[in-house]
Amino acid sequence: MRACLLQPRAERTGEADEALKVSLCRGVAAIDEHEWDALVSDQNFYNSHAWLAGLDYALGACEVLAVWSAAGLLAACPLWGGERDDELFELGAFFNDVRGPWTHGFVWGGGRRSTHNQVPCVNGRRRAQALRRLLLAMAGIARERGDAGVVLPYLPLAAACELAEICGASVLLHSAEANIEVPPGGLAGLMAGRNRHDRFEVRAEIAAFARCGNRVEWGAIDPSEQARVAELIACNRARYGSTQGEAWMQRMLEAQRRAGVLPIAVVARRDQRIAALCLLYRFGRALHARYYGCDYRLDDRDFRYFVLTCYEPIDYAARAGLGELRLSTSALHAKARRGARIEPLAAAVLLSDRSLDPIAVRRHNRRFAERHRRELGAHLSPAWQAFL
């Protein structure tokens, strides 16, 4: 099957096709916030209008492709060029066992630097048609610009498979994310379903955190402490290879404030100074953990990372009546041991001039899934069974 045919399936089969229009604009601000967010699920915060507006303020406005009917917006997707110097967006590293033009330019779909993407799109009878139009338009842009194709990374598996069914995209697993379903009892409710050893470990970690003199506070970031917050987050990111420093993080936080995106901060203080923190974002009934910052000069084994990113947020989410804590793609083994389920993430790939070898794609996906089965076993969500 070719990567994507030149006209929608509705036109090929002769089925009725209502008039749809496709637009390409600069910046998410060109589209009404309420129309946009009506298409965004709770799990898709990093494609919400306000988050994307913050990125536009911080990094410059990106292109936005949209599909419209007479009734309004049906589907939309930000477009960007990826970041070849960041391994989180390095196609050659993702798919080095599948022959493809990975070193060439691609049109990337989804929020910039997002590790969870879903295409904002209407549900119901118009969904498939709107997604087809959107993906065909993206493929057309890639051809016009001489790019190798289109890639939508970090999609939940069901979303990637939907695009494969609609227009023949190749689905390639490349990452996984950790998420916790929040029980009414919060952390105590979550641990009630774990074994005795796990419960003992969690209690020991919380006790060690307290013994080191940490005091937990919840609230918004005080503007007077924003520089300290940016410093600690940049320090943590640098520890894992990021070259974007404190000034970059300050710019991101200022842009979020301008866009009306106000994080919830959970902070560990010692002697009135911030020792560590986690910034989380509430969207619908989900709580998204995004940034962790730490003063590594305090090298006590106090488990502040897990207290601030897992234990405290689980209780906060339960108190707020939220259903899910979303913990992104890092430290999967540690998060799994603390009650998270591990869900597969895939890229949908449309090449401009050919298709990927389906045998190589299947082999890649099976190897990726098998590796996660060996390492994470019972912590995997049922979605992995499609490849095991």
Side-chain angles (χ1 to χ4, degrees), residues 11 16 22 59 92 103 106 117 129 153-154 156 179 194 200 204 210 222 257 278 290-291 302 312 318 326 330 333 343:
E11 296 175 5
V22 178
L59 306 174
T103 60
F106 276 78
N117 281 310
Q129 185 186 23
Y154 292 101
N179 300 303
R194 308 293 294 176
F200 175 83
D222 189 303
R257 186 184 299 273
C278 181
R290 177 69 180 191
Y291 299 114
D302 62 359
E312 283 286 331
R326 303 190 65 83
S330 62
H333 294 78
E343 301 181 351

Side-chain angles (χ1 to χ4, degrees), residues 9-338:
R9 186 180 302 171
E11 296 175 5
R12 299 197 313 272
T13 61
E15 65 184 79
D17 181 19
E18 65 176 295
L20 299 183
K21 295 182 179 180
V22 178
S23 68
L24 183 66
C25 60
R26 177 66 64 175
V28 71
I31 299 178
D32 178 78
E33 177 180 2
H34 301 290
E35 279 200 90
W36 184 288
D37 282 344
L39 308 179
V40 179
S41 71
D42 293 355
Q43 293 76 31
N44 198 24
F45 168 66
Y46 300 116
N47 279 281
S48 68
H49 194 280
W51 181 264
L52 296 173
L55 292 177
D56 283 351
Y57 290 141
L59 306 174
C62 72
E63 292 179 308
V64 176
L65 190 64
V67 177
W68 306 83
S69 72
L73 184 66
L74 295 184
C77 187
L79 308 181
W80 64 301
E83 292 192 8
R84 296 187 185 183
D85 59 346
D86 190 325
E87 64 180 11
L88 288 174
F89 306 98
E90 177 54 57
L91 298 181
F94 289 165
F95 312 128
N96 59 13
D97 56 348
V98 178
R99 186 175 180 180
W102 308 125
T103 60
H104 299 170
F106 276 78
V107 172
W108 290 63
R112 276 176 288 186
R113 301 190 54 80
S114 173
T115 54
H116 181 99
N117 281 310
Q118 293 169 253
V119 177
C121 186
V122 69
N123 290 316
R125 66 178 181 83
R126 297 174 297 178
R127 181 177 177 85
Q129 185 186 23
L131 285 174
R132 277 196 298 273
R133 284 293 179 90
L134 189 76
L135 268 292
L136 289 170
M138 291 177 66
I141 290 171
R143 287 192 296 271
E144 290 172 5
R145 297 177 180 177
D147 287 330
V150 172
V151 58
L152 291 92
Y154 292 101
L155 294 169
L157 182 59
C161 290
E162 181 180 35
L163 297 182
E165 171 63 23
I166 285 170
C167 65
S170 297
V171 174
L172 294 104
L173 297 173
H174 68 88
S175 190
E177 61 183 354
N179 300 303
I180 295 176
E181 293 181 8
V182 178
L187 181 61
L190 183 68
M191 287 298 105
R194 308 293 294 176
N195 60 46
R196 182 178 179 181
H197 177 267
D198 288 347
R199 294 195 298 271
F200 175 83
E201 288 293 317
V202 168
R203 288 195 296 268
E205 290 174 0
I206 293 173
F209 177 85
R211 279 197 307 273
C212 288
N214 296 299
R215 185 180 76 256
V216 172
E217 295 179 2
W218 280 91
I221 299 173
D222 189 303
S224 67
E225 293 187 310
Q226 183 167 297
R228 172 68 171 169
V229 168
E231 174 194 355
L232 295 182
I233 294 173
C235 180
N236 180 67
R237 289 166 59 84
R239 192 178 177 92
Y240 297 98
S242 174
T243 59
Q244 296 150 339
E246 181 180 344
W248 184 90
M249 196 65 232
Q250 277 266 43
R251 188 166 74 250
M252 295 298 292
L253 293 174
E254 287 293 343
Q256 290 176 25
R257 186 184 299 273
R258 181 180 172 189
V261 179
L262 300 179
I264 305 163
V266 55
V267 174
R269 287 191 187 273
R270 295 193 196 178
D271 301 323
Q272 305 305 314
R273 282 182 62 80
I274 299 175
L277 72 144
C278 181
L279 299 188
L280 305 103
Y281 299 81
R282 180 174 176 172
F283 191 70
R285 296 193 68 250
L287 187 64
H288 302 257
R290 177 69 180 191
Y291 299 114
Y292 175 73
C294 184
D295 186 345
Y296 288 104
R297 293 171 298 181
L298 303 171
D299 61 356
D300 309 307
R301 187 170 170 77
D302 62 359
F303 302 98
R304 69 192 87 159
Y305 176 80
F306 298 110
V307 171
L308 297 184
T309 63
C310 292
Y311 305 150
E312 283 286 331
I314 291 168
D315 278 339
Y316 175 94
R319 292 193 300 270
L322 304 180
E324 192 172 27
L325 173 62
R326 303 190 65 83
L327 295 171
S328 194
T329 59
S330 62
L332 295 181
H333 294 78
K335 292 170 183 175
R337 292 198 303 272
R338 290 159 177 85

